[in-house]
PDB file of all heavy atoms in Angstrom:
ATOM      1  N   ALA N 364      -9.154 -27.067 -61.399  1.00 43.00           N
ATOM      2  CA  ALA N 364      -8.771 -26.180 -60.311  1.00 43.00           C
ATOM      3  C   ALA N 364      -7.634 -25.263 -60.723  1.00 43.00           C
ATOM      4  O   ALA N 364      -7.580 -24.096 -60.338  1.00 43.00           O
ATOM      5  CB  ALA N 364      -8.368 -27.013 -59.085  1.00 43.00           C
ATOM      6  N   THR N 365      -6.737 -25.767 -61.502  1.00 44.00           N
ATOM      7  CA  THR N 365      -5.621 -24.933 -61.987  1.00 44.00           C
ATOM      8  C   THR N 365      -6.132 -23.801 -62.846  1.00 44.00           C
ATOM      9  O   THR N 365      -5.683 -22.659 -62.731  1.00 44.00           O
ATOM     10  CB  THR N 365      -4.639 -25.791 -62.790  1.00 44.00           C
ATOM     11  OG1 THR N 365      -4.230 -26.888 -61.991  1.00 44.00           O
ATOM     12  CG2 THR N 365      -3.439 -24.972 -63.217  1.00 44.00           C
ATOM     13  N   ASP N 366      -7.112 -24.087 -63.727  1.00 48.00           N
ATOM     14  CA  ASP N 366      -7.677 -23.031 -64.559  1.00 48.00           C
ATOM     15  C   ASP N 366      -8.389 -21.996 -63.697  1.00 48.00           C
ATOM     16  O   ASP N 366      -8.355 -20.802 -63.990  1.00 48.00           O
ATOM     17  CB  ASP N 366      -8.659 -23.629 -65.558  1.00 48.00           C
ATOM     18  CG  ASP N 366      -7.952 -24.541 -66.541  1.00 48.00           C
ATOM     19  OD1 ASP N 366      -6.722 -24.413 -66.661  1.00 48.00           O
ATOM     20  OD2 ASP N 366      -8.632 -25.381 -67.163  1.00 48.00           O
ATOM     21  N   ALA N 367      -9.048 -22.427 -62.601  1.00 45.00           N
ATOM     22  CA  ALA N 367      -9.726 -21.486 -61.725  1.00 45.00           C
ATOM     23  C   ALA N 367      -8.734 -20.557 -61.044  1.00 45.00           C
ATOM     24  O   ALA N 367      -8.961 -19.356 -60.920  1.00 45.00           O
ATOM     25  CB  ALA N 367     -10.545 -22.260 -60.669  1.00 45.00           C
ATOM     26  N   GLU N 368      -7.609 -21.120 -60.583  1.00 49.00           N
ATOM     27  CA  GLU N 368      -6.597 -20.273 -59.960  1.00 49.00           C
ATOM     28  C   GLU N 368      -6.019 -19.285 -60.945  1.00 49.00           C
ATOM     29  O   GLU N 368      -5.798 -18.113 -60.628  1.00 49.00           O
ATOM     30  CB  GLU N 368      -5.494 -21.161 -59.384  1.00 49.00           C
ATOM     31  CG  GLU N 368      -5.965 -22.041 -58.234  1.00 49.00           C
ATOM     32  CD  GLU N 368      -4.848 -22.945 -57.746  1.00 49.00           C
ATOM     33  OE1 GLU N 368      -3.757 -22.876 -58.345  1.00 49.00           O
ATOM     34  OE2 GLU N 368      -5.063 -23.712 -56.788  1.00 49.00           O
ATOM     35  N   ASP N 369      -5.775 -19.723 -62.175  1.00 50.00           N
ATOM     36  CA  ASP N 369      -5.255 -18.813 -63.192  1.00 50.00           C
ATOM     37  C   ASP N 369      -6.245 -17.706 -63.488  1.00 50.00           C
ATOM     38  O   ASP N 369      -5.868 -16.542 -63.656  1.00 50.00           O
ATOM     39  CB  ASP N 369      -4.934 -19.584 -64.475  1.00 50.00           C
ATOM     40  CG  ASP N 369      -3.816 -20.583 -64.255  1.00 50.00           C
ATOM     41  OD1 ASP N 369      -3.076 -20.416 -63.254  1.00 50.00           O
ATOM     42  OD2 ASP N 369      -3.691 -21.524 -65.061  1.00 50.00           O
ATOM     43  N   ALA N 370      -7.537 -18.047 -63.540  1.00 47.00           N
ATOM     44  CA  ALA N 370      -8.541 -17.023 -63.815  1.00 47.00           C
ATOM     45  C   ALA N 370      -8.615 -16.023 -62.681  1.00 47.00           C
ATOM     46  O   ALA N 370      -8.734 -14.814 -62.890  1.00 47.00           O
ATOM     47  CB  ALA N 370      -9.903 -17.689 -64.040  1.00 47.00           C
ATOM     48  N   ALA N 371      -8.528 -16.495 -61.411  1.00 48.00           N
ATOM     49  CA  ALA N 371      -8.563 -15.579 -60.276  1.00 48.00           C
ATOM     50  C   ALA N 371      -7.335 -14.679 -60.256  1.00 48.00           C
ATOM     51  O   ALA N 371      -7.415 -13.478 -59.977  1.00 48.00           O
ATOM     52  CB  ALA N 371      -8.654 -16.371 -58.974  1.00 48.00           C
ATOM     53  N   ALA N 372      -6.173 -15.251 -60.555  1.00 49.00           N
ATOM     54  CA  ALA N 372      -4.945 -14.452 -60.562  1.00 49.00           C
ATOM     55  C   ALA N 372      -4.978 -13.382 -61.642  1.00 49.00           C
ATOM     56  O   ALA N 372      -4.505 -12.272 -61.459  1.00 49.00           O
ATOM     57  CB  ALA N 372      -3.736 -15.362 -60.761  1.00 49.00           C
ATOM     58  N   SER N 373      -5.546 -13.720 -62.808  1.00 50.00           N
ATOM     59  CA  SER N 373      -5.613 -12.734 -63.885  1.00 50.00           C
ATOM     60  C   SER N 373      -6.650 -11.667 -63.591  1.00 50.00           C
ATOM     61  O   SER N 373      -6.542 -10.541 -64.046  1.00 50.00           O
ATOM     62  CB  SER N 373      -5.946 -13.425 -65.196  1.00 50.00           C
ATOM     63  OG  SER N 373      -7.202 -14.069 -65.099  1.00 50.00           O
ATOM     64  N   ALA N 374      -7.702 -11.995 -62.796  1.00 46.00           N
ATOM     65  CA  ALA N 374      -8.735 -11.015 -62.475  1.00 46.00           C
ATOM     66  C   ALA N 374      -8.306 -10.081 -61.362  1.00 46.00           C
ATOM     67  O   ALA N 374      -8.797  -8.964 -61.247  1.00 46.00           O
ATOM     68  CB  ALA N 374     -10.035 -11.726 -62.084  1.00 46.00           C
ATOM     69  N   GLU N 375      -7.360 -10.489 -60.486  1.00 46.00           N
ATOM     70  CA  GLU N 375      -6.960  -9.677 -59.344  1.00 46.00           C
ATOM     71  C   GLU N 375      -6.330  -8.349 -59.743  1.00 46.00           C
ATOM     72  O   GLU N 375      -6.726  -7.304 -59.240  1.00 46.00           O
ATOM     73  CB  GLU N 375      -5.995 -10.495 -58.476  1.00 46.00           C
ATOM     74  CG  GLU N 375      -5.540  -9.731 -57.225  1.00 46.00           C
ATOM     75  CD  GLU N 375      -4.639 -10.589 -56.363  1.00 46.00           C
ATOM     76  OE1 GLU N 375      -4.572 -11.805 -56.615  1.00 46.00           O
ATOM     77  OE2 GLU N 375      -4.010 -10.034 -55.461  1.00 46.00           O
ATOM     78  N   PRO N 376      -5.374  -8.276 -60.659  1.00 46.00           N
ATOM     79  CA  PRO N 376      -4.820  -6.976 -61.035  1.00 46.00           C
ATOM     80  C   PRO N 376      -5.864  -6.060 -61.643  1.00 46.00           C
ATOM     81  O   PRO N 376      -5.843  -4.863 -61.419  1.00 46.00           O
ATOM     82  CB  PRO N 376      -3.737  -7.351 -62.053  1.00 46.00           C
ATOM     83  CG  PRO N 376      -3.423  -8.770 -61.783  1.00 46.00           C
ATOM     84  CD  PRO N 376      -4.685  -9.373 -61.298  1.00 46.00           C
ATOM     85  N   GLN N 377      -6.819  -6.591 -62.385  1.00 45.00           N
ATOM     86  CA  GLN N 377      -7.841  -5.763 -62.972  1.00 45.00           C
ATOM     87  C   GLN N 377      -8.714  -5.139 -61.893  1.00 45.00           C
ATOM     88  O   GLN N 377      -9.083  -3.976 -61.976  1.00 45.00           O
ATOM     89  CB  GLN N 377      -8.690  -6.618 -63.919  1.00 45.00           C
ATOM     90  CG  GLN N 377      -9.776  -5.812 -64.650  1.00 45.00           C
ATOM     91  CD  GLN N 377     -10.566  -6.675 -65.591  1.00 45.00           C
ATOM     92  OE1 GLN N 377     -10.279  -7.865 -65.712  1.00 45.00           O
ATOM     93  NE2 GLN N 377     -11.538  -6.074 -66.252  1.00 45.00           N
ATOM     94  N   ALA N 378      -9.046  -5.901 -60.835  1.00 42.00           N
ATOM     95  CA  ALA N 378      -9.845  -5.364 -59.752  1.00 42.00           C
ATOM     96  C   ALA N 378      -9.105  -4.248 -59.029  1.00 42.00           C
ATOM     97  O   ALA N 378      -9.672  -3.212 -58.683  1.00 42.00           O
ATOM     98  CB  ALA N 378     -10.204  -6.476 -58.766  1.00 42.00           C
ATOM     99  N   ALA N 379      -7.797  -4.426 -58.799  1.00 42.00           N
ATOM    100  CA  ALA N 379      -7.008  -3.389 -58.127  1.00 42.00           C
ATOM    101  C   ALA N 379      -6.977  -2.119 -58.945  1.00 42.00           C
ATOM    102  O   ALA N 379      -7.087  -1.018 -58.414  1.00 42.00           O
ATOM    103  CB  ALA N 379      -5.590  -3.897 -57.881  1.00 42.00           C
ATOM    104  N   VAL N 380      -6.859  -2.226 -60.227  1.00 38.00           N
ATOM    105  CA  VAL N 380      -6.824  -1.046 -61.082  1.00 38.00           C
ATOM    106  C   VAL N 380      -8.134  -0.297 -61.001  1.00 38.00           C
ATOM    107  O   VAL N 380      -8.187   0.924 -60.926  1.00 38.00           O
ATOM    108  CB  VAL N 380      -6.501  -1.454 -62.528  1.00 38.00           C
ATOM    109  CG1 VAL N 380      -6.677  -0.275 -63.463  1.00 38.00           C
ATOM    110  CG2 VAL N 380      -5.086  -1.983 -62.618  1.00 38.00           C
ATOM    111  N   GLU N 381      -9.268  -1.042 -61.000  1.00 42.00           N
ATOM    112  CA  GLU N 381     -10.563  -0.395 -60.932  1.00 42.00           C
ATOM    113  C   GLU N 381     -10.733   0.320 -59.602  1.00 42.00           C
ATOM    114  O   GLU N 381     -11.269   1.421 -59.532  1.00 42.00           O
ATOM    115  CB  GLU N 381     -11.658  -1.419 -61.140  1.00 42.00           C
ATOM    116  CG  GLU N 381     -11.676  -1.983 -62.564  1.00 42.00           C
ATOM    117  CD  GLU N 381     -12.818  -2.937 -62.749  1.00 42.00           C
ATOM    118  OE1 GLU N 381     -13.594  -3.102 -61.780  1.00 42.00           O
ATOM    119  OE2 GLU N 381     -12.943  -3.507 -63.846  1.00 42.00           O
ATOM    120  N   VAL N 382     -10.281  -0.275 -58.478  1.00 37.00           N
ATOM    121  CA  VAL N 382     -10.400   0.365 -57.178  1.00 37.00           C
ATOM    122  C   VAL N 382      -9.596   1.648 -57.133  1.00 37.00           C
ATOM    123  O   VAL N 382     -10.065   2.681 -56.673  1.00 37.00           O
ATOM    124  CB  VAL N 382      -9.952  -0.614 -56.068  1.00 37.00           C
ATOM    125  CG1 VAL N 382      -9.874   0.109 -54.740  1.00 37.00           C
ATOM    126  CG2 VAL N 382     -10.926  -1.770 -55.983  1.00 37.00           C
ATOM    127  N   GLU N 383      -8.358   1.613 -57.623  1.00 41.00           N
ATOM    128  CA  GLU N 383      -7.528   2.798 -57.613  1.00 41.00           C
ATOM    129  C   GLU N 383      -8.127   3.885 -58.488  1.00 41.00           C
ATOM    130  O   GLU N 383      -8.070   5.069 -58.163  1.00 41.00           O
ATOM    131  CB  GLU N 383      -6.125   2.440 -58.095  1.00 41.00           C
ATOM    132  CG  GLU N 383      -5.382   1.530 -57.127  1.00 41.00           C
ATOM    133  CD  GLU N 383      -4.025   1.140 -57.681  1.00 41.00           C
ATOM    134  OE1 GLU N 383      -3.725   1.593 -58.789  1.00 41.00           O
ATOM    135  OE2 GLU N 383      -3.307   0.401 -57.001  1.00 41.00           O
ATOM    136  N   THR N 384      -8.756   3.529 -59.575  1.00 39.00           N
ATOM    137  CA  THR N 384      -9.396   4.520 -60.433  1.00 39.00           C
ATOM    138  C   THR N 384     -10.541   5.200 -59.714  1.00 39.00           C
ATOM    139  O   THR N 384     -10.713   6.413 -59.781  1.00 39.00           O
ATOM    140  CB  THR N 384      -9.902   3.836 -61.710  1.00 39.00           C
ATOM    141  OG1 THR N 384      -8.813   3.158 -62.327  1.00 39.00           O
ATOM    142  CG2 THR N 384     -10.482   4.861 -62.677  1.00 39.00           C
ATOM    143  N   VAL N 385     -11.351   4.399 -58.996  1.00 37.00           N
ATOM    144  CA  VAL N 385     -12.463   4.971 -58.246  1.00 37.00           C
ATOM    145  C   VAL N 385     -11.951   5.927 -57.191  1.00 37.00           C
ATOM    146  O   VAL N 385     -12.472   7.022 -56.989  1.00 37.00           O
ATOM    147  CB  VAL N 385     -13.310   3.850 -57.609  1.00 37.00           C
ATOM    148  CG1 VAL N 385     -14.334   4.433 -56.668  1.00 37.00           C
ATOM    149  CG2 VAL N 385     -13.971   3.043 -58.702  1.00 37.00           C
ATOM    150  N   GLU N 386     -10.879   5.561 -56.483  1.00 41.00           N
ATOM    151  CA  GLU N 386     -10.326   6.418 -55.450  1.00 41.00           C
ATOM    152  C   GLU N 386      -9.796   7.717 -56.037  1.00 41.00           C
ATOM    153  O   GLU N 386      -9.994   8.795 -55.475  1.00 41.00           O
ATOM    154  CB  GLU N 386      -9.213   5.685 -54.717  1.00 41.00           C
ATOM    155  CG  GLU N 386      -9.717   4.512 -53.879  1.00 41.00           C
ATOM    156  CD  GLU N 386      -8.588   3.753 -53.229  1.00 41.00           C
ATOM    157  OE1 GLU N 386      -7.430   4.093 -53.507  1.00 41.00           O
ATOM    158  OE2 GLU N 386      -8.878   2.839 -52.442  1.00 41.00           O
ATOM    159  N   ALA N 387      -9.140   7.648 -57.179  1.00 38.00           N
ATOM    160  CA  ALA N 387      -8.611   8.857 -57.791  1.00 38.00           C
ATOM    161  C   ALA N 387      -9.723   9.794 -58.191  1.00 38.00           C
ATOM    162  O   ALA N 387      -9.635  11.007 -58.022  1.00 38.00           O
ATOM    163  CB  ALA N 387      -7.761   8.499 -59.002  1.00 38.00           C
ATOM    164  N   VAL N 388     -10.809   9.275 -58.678  1.00 38.00           N
ATOM    165  CA  VAL N 388     -11.936  10.124 -59.053  1.00 38.00           C
ATOM    166  C   VAL N 388     -12.540  10.771 -57.839  1.00 38.00           C
ATOM    167  O   VAL N 388     -12.905  11.944 -57.846  1.00 38.00           O
ATOM    168  CB  VAL N 388     -12.976   9.285 -59.829  1.00 38.00           C
ATOM    169  CG1 VAL N 388     -14.236  10.087 -60.053  1.00 38.00           C
ATOM    170  CG2 VAL N 388     -12.398   8.835 -61.148  1.00 38.00           C
ATOM    171  N   GLU N 389     -12.621  10.042 -56.733  1.00 40.00           N
ATOM    172  CA  GLU N 389     -13.206  10.609 -55.523  1.00 40.00           C
ATOM    173  C   GLU N 389     -12.319  11.702 -54.947  1.00 40.00           C
ATOM    174  O   GLU N 389     -12.796  12.640 -54.314  1.00 40.00           O
ATOM    175  CB  GLU N 389     -13.410   9.492 -54.504  1.00 40.00           C
ATOM    176  CG  GLU N 389     -14.541   8.535 -54.916  1.00 40.00           C
ATOM    177  CD  GLU N 389     -14.624   7.332 -54.002  1.00 40.00           C
ATOM    178  OE1 GLU N 389     -13.729   7.217 -53.149  1.00 40.00           O
ATOM    179  OE2 GLU N 389     -15.548   6.537 -54.153  1.00 40.00           O
ATOM    180  N   VAL N 390     -11.032  11.632 -55.141  1.00 38.00           N
ATOM    181  CA  VAL N 390     -10.152  12.697 -54.647  1.00 38.00           C
ATOM    182  C   VAL N 390     -10.360  13.969 -55.445  1.00 38.00           C
ATOM    183  O   VAL N 390     -10.349  15.077 -54.915  1.00 38.00           O
ATOM    184  CB  VAL N 390      -8.683  12.248 -54.740  1.00 38.00           C
ATOM    185  CG1 VAL N 390      -7.756  13.416 -54.453  1.00 38.00           C
ATOM    186  CG2 VAL N 390      -8.422  11.149 -53.730  1.00 38.00           C
ATOM    187  N   ILE N 391     -10.616  13.854 -56.734  1.00 40.00           N
ATOM    188  CA  ILE N 391     -10.773  15.024 -57.585  1.00 40.00           C
ATOM    189  C   ILE N 391     -12.100  15.700 -57.344  1.00 40.00           C
ATOM    190  O   ILE N 391     -12.178  16.916 -57.215  1.00 40.00           O
ATOM    191  CB  ILE N 391     -10.643  14.616 -59.063  1.00 40.00           C
ATOM    192  CG1 ILE N 391      -9.220  14.150 -59.334  1.00 40.00           C
ATOM    193  CG2 ILE N 391     -11.006  15.756 -60.003  1.00 40.00           C
ATOM    194  CD1 ILE N 391      -9.021  13.577 -60.706  1.00 40.00           C
ATOM    195  N   VAL N 392     -13.185  14.933 -57.261  1.00 39.00           N
ATOM    196  CA  VAL N 392     -14.514  15.510 -57.090  1.00 39.00           C
ATOM    197  C   VAL N 392     -14.710  15.852 -55.621  1.00 39.00           C
ATOM    198  O   VAL N 392     -14.583  14.996 -54.758  1.00 39.00           O
ATOM    199  CB  VAL N 392     -15.592  14.519 -57.573  1.00 39.00           C
ATOM    200  CG1 VAL N 392     -16.961  15.119 -57.399  1.00 39.00           C
ATOM    201  CG2 VAL N 392     -15.329  14.163 -59.022  1.00 39.00           C
ATOM    202  N   LYS N 393     -15.028  17.134 -55.313  1.00 42.00           N
ATOM    203  CA  LYS N 393     -15.234  17.609 -53.947  1.00 42.00           C
ATOM    204  C   LYS N 393     -16.698  17.918 -53.712  1.00 42.00           C
ATOM    205  O   LYS N 393     -17.432  18.320 -54.612  1.00 42.00           O
ATOM    206  CB  LYS N 393     -14.403  18.871 -53.708  1.00 42.00           C
ATOM    207  CG  LYS N 393     -12.896  18.632 -53.765  1.00 42.00           C
ATOM    208  CD  LYS N 393     -12.446  17.784 -52.602  1.00 42.00           C
ATOM    209  CE  LYS N 393     -10.946  17.596 -52.606  1.00 42.00           C
ATOM    210  NZ  LYS N 393     -10.493  16.799 -51.475  1.00 42.00           N
TER     211      LYS N 393
END
Side-chain angles (χ1 to χ4, degrees):
T365 305
D366 295 341
E368 294 177 358
D369 295 341
S373 61
E375 181 178 348
Q377 183 179 358
V380 171
E381 292 183 2
V382 172
E383 293 177 0
T384 305
V385 172
E386 292 177 355
V388 172
E389 289 173 354
V390 171
I391 294 173
V392 180
K393 295 292 183 179

